[in-house]
Amino acid sequence: DQQVKQNSPSLSVQEGRISILNCDYTNSMFDYFLWYKKYPAEGPTFLISISSIKDKNEDGRFTVFLNKSAKHLSLHIVPSQPGDSAVYFCAAKFTGGYQKVTFGTGTKLQVIP
Amino acid sequence: DGGITQSPKYLFRKEGQNVTLSCEQNLNHDAMYWYRQDPGQGLRLIYYSQIVNDFQKGDIAEGYSVSREKKESFPLTVTSAQKNPTAFYLCASTDSNQPQHFGDGTRLSIL
């Protein structure tokens, strides 16, 4: 049972344009969401997060939007750069303690120069 | 420079052999995790440990074993009972509610 879903396995975007990566979750108990970026043969690195008490969090070129009623979040990258080309994982967890993080299947972003 | 070190980067195993993947962290994190990544399946949790001498099974623990004798170390043994061990293995650590830090992974292949 995939509780965190990224339905687009891949996405191609022109350099300078906006990249929008989507993520859906099924467990309404999740209250903290994260995005990780992963290059080939490396471990994921944390990118940005959002608590369920917010609907938007921004960090430079990266913005995460959360729609709790739709159980949907998205990551916007503006402007996209070739160095952003990587696999992006959406993840969700319950806050408090060391509860496990549930990851999506990832979306491979290619930014075309 | 704090971080998580996984070794080796590439590992080959013969059928029927056990193999141990190393994970060491110098971040002073209490919690450590092992994930497996397969194409199209994201990261799946194998085992996690919240404190020394304690660990719990994750979603796909069958065929794996771990130990947590030291805070810095969380080795994963892939046993011969694991029928499909070829994968990319990732170790992570965290403190309280902070995002997990990941190592660079070990790719295990069966000869």
Side-chain angles (χ1 to χ4, degrees):
Chain A
D1 180 28
Q2 191 70 32
Q3 296 189 63
V4 178
K5 302 176 185 179
Q6 294 177 257
N7 292 319
S8 297
S10 63
L11 175 68
S12 289
V13 172
Q14 287 290 133
E15 180 179 3
R17 308 293 282 267
I18 184 171
S19 295
I20 300 177
L21 293 86
N22 293 304
C23 177
D24 297 294
Y25 61 95
T26 57
N27 191 336
S28 58
M29 299 298 291
F30 288 137
D31 58 5
Y32 195 76
F33 304 90
L34 311 95
W35 284 94
Y36 283 84
K37 176 180 180 179
K38 184 183 180 302
Y39 293 116
E42 293 183 9
T45 54
F46 168 70
L47 192 57
I48 192 169
S49 63
I50 187 167
S51 165
S52 60
I53 63 173
K54 295 185 174 181
D55 54 18
K56 176 183 174 181
N57 189 26
E58 193 171 349
D59 184 2
R61 297 185 297 113
F62 302 91
T63 303
V64 55
F65 295 92
L66 176 62
N67 182 335
K68 288 190 293 294
S69 61
K71 295 192 183 68
H72 176 84
L73 63 157
S74 61
L75 175 68
H76 293 212
I77 306 174
V78 181
S80 300
Q81 299 174 353
D84 296 329
S85 298
V87 176
Y88 290 79
F89 289 99
C90 171
K93 67 185 291 259
F94 317 111
T95 52
Y98 300 104
Q99 282 84 353
K100 68 176 187 178
V101 177
T102 301
F103 286 85
T105 52
T107 296
K108 184 175 182 179
L109 173 66
Q110 181 184 18
V111 180
I112 303 165
Chain B
D1 210 9
I4 298 178
T5 302
Q6 290 188 243
S7 60
K9 198 164 182 66
Y10 299 96
L11 191 56
F12 299 92
R13 191 193 91 170
K14 292 183 179 179
E15 293 273 1
Q17 279 185 339
N18 293 354
V19 63
T20 298
L21 283 62
S22 169
C23 178
E24 303 280 330
Q25 55 102 356
N26 60 5
L27 299 166
N28 200 34
H29 287 167
D30 286 321
M32 296 186 73
Y33 306 78
W34 274 105
Y35 293 91
R36 169 182 171 139
Q37 186 189 9
D38 295 281
Q41 294 198 48
L43 278 65
R44 293 184 290 166
L45 183 65
I46 304 172
Y47 267 98
Y48 66 104
S49 168
Q50 298 182 11
I51 199 167
V52 174
N53 292 323
D54 184 57
F55 47 82
Q56 288 80 40
K57 293 181 178 180
D59 299 320
I60 54 165
E62 186 176 349
Y64 299 97
S65 66
V66 293
S67 63
R68 189 82 187 280
E69 297 176 2
K70 299 186 300 181
K71 187 174 185 178
E72 307 79 28
S73 180
F74 191 40
L76 172 75
T77 297
V78 184
T79 74
S80 57
Q82 170 50 239
K83 297 307 176 189
N84 186 23
T86 297
F88 189 54
Y89 291 87
L90 286 159
C91 179
S93 70
T94 190
D95 207 9
S96 186
N97 269 322
Q98 298 304 308
Q100 293 178 5
H101 290 254
F102 283 85
D104 282 341
T106 293
R107 183 164 297 281
L108 176 63
S109 300
I110 300 303
L111 294 177

